[in-house]
Amino acid sequence: MELDRMLKALGEPVRLKIYQALLERKHCVRSLSRKFGISESAISQHLSVMKNAELVYGEKYGYHTHYLPRQDSIDFLTEQFQKMRSASVIVDRDMTACQCEYRKEE
């Protein structure tokens, strides 16, 4: 799984709203179109981007496909944000100067 691809997909406000709706329950394209007042073709394109980013999958029911978030992707995103949080906690925020190796000695 690629974190950058997932975040880029969710970085578009409409896709984030769609994803949040899918976290509540499964939806078909028509349901999402009505919920957000966006054309079905636009919803399909957003879902395609999210499928390519491995965020959602579809289950066929007759002529309709109902979309859901992938649980493995939710777990992956949660793990990545937990790692970022853990790293952030140990950062020394009281340092007054940068300690990088490019800094010239004074």
Side-chain angles (χ1 to χ4, degrees), residues 13-37:
V14 172
R15 282 196 287 269
L16 180 58
K17 288 178 186 175
I18 292 170
Y19 193 71
Q20 289 170 325
L22 294 176
L23 289 169
E24 295 171 8
R25 70 177 185 87
K26 58 176 97 174
H27 285 272
C28 66
V29 170
R30 180 169 289 161
S31 168
L32 291 167
S33 174
R34 289 182 178 165
K35 181 175 181 72
F36 296 111

Side-chain angles (χ1 to χ4, degrees), residues 1-7 19 50-57 69-80 83:
M1 295 190 171
E2 297 178 40
L3 180 61
D4 58 335
R5 185 185 296 180
M6 291 174 153
L7 294 178
Y19 193 71
M50 289 191 285
K51 283 193 314 192
N52 289 336
E54 301 181 30
L55 289 166
V56 300
Y57 72 100
R70 289 179 46 164
Q71 187 61 49
D72 60 338
S73 294
I74 293 169
D75 295 341
F76 176 76
L77 286 169
T78 301
E79 178 185 315
Q80 295 303 308
K83 286 180 183 178

Side-chain angles (χ1 to χ4, degrees), residues 29-70:
V29 170
R30 180 169 289 161
S31 168
L32 291 167
S33 174
R34 289 182 178 165
K35 181 175 181 72
F36 296 111
I38 300 170
S39 71
E40 290 182 25
S41 63
I43 293 291
S44 292
Q45 289 176 351
H46 286 302
L47 287 168
S48 177
V49 170
M50 289 191 285
K51 283 193 314 192
N52 289 336
E54 301 181 30
L55 289 166
V56 300
Y57 72 100
E59 294 177 346
K60 286 288 253 181
Y61 293 96
Y63 291 110
H64 297 281
T65 302
H66 292 187
Y67 292 91
L68 295 144
R70 289 179 46 164

